[in-house]
Amino acid sequence: MSEQLKSEFTQRIVELQKRVDSIHQDFANGRNADWSEQARERENDEVLNALESEAKVEIQQLSNAITLIESGHYGICQTCGEAIAKQRLAVQPAAIKCINCAD
């Protein structure tokens, strides 16, 4: 089970990194000379920055989850030491706290 999770998390990290790379490529393409088009591009930049930030956070969380899997601590609350419910991990695979401690 843990090897399967590591594989799933690694695959998701690769997908997210491709998204980040695509965003960087979009920024590298430069800007249009038309002022109205530049205004639209700036709005697009804000969305891309938000997507990049979210992707980087998820990459970090998944990397941390892989480290926990490797150390045998995945699925254990880092606050109280109890098992994190499987339902919680299904929704939030990178959860580091049980639902009680997360509140």
Side-chain angles (χ1 to χ4, degrees):
M1 180 66 164
S2 61
E3 288 302 315
Q4 180 183 351
L5 278 176
K6 279 176 53 176
S7 176
E8 289 173 15
F9 293 169
T10 301
Q11 185 176 4
R12 179 69 178 149
I13 289 170
V14 169
E15 292 168 8
L16 290 166
Q17 190 58 54
K18 285 180 184 177
R19 181 183 302 167
V20 169
D21 292 346
S22 176
I23 290 169
H24 287 183
Q25 184 60 42
D26 187 62
F27 285 134
N29 287 338
R31 297 292 160 240
N32 195 304
D34 179 43
W35 285 101
S36 63
E37 185 60 31
Q38 284 181 9
R40 281 191 285 277
E41 288 174 346
R42 278 193 296 279
E43 290 174 5
N44 186 43
D45 287 353
E46 291 176 19
V47 172
L48 290 175
N49 280 327
L51 290 172
E52 179 184 18
S53 292
E54 289 174 8
K56 286 181 174 181
V57 166
E58 189 174 350
I59 288 170
Q60 185 61 54
Q61 290 174 337
L62 291 170
S63 295
N64 292 344
I66 289 171
T67 300
L68 290 172
I69 290 169
E70 291 172 345
S71 69
H73 294 99
Y74 181 76
I76 298 171
C77 178
Q78 291 185 354
T79 302
C80 69
E82 295 294 321
I84 299 172
K86 288 184 181 1
Q87 299 90 333
R88 177 164 170 73
L89 291 172
V91 174
Q92 177 100 21
I96 58 172
K97 294 182 180 182
C98 68
I99 194 72
N100 293 331
C101 293
D103 285 341

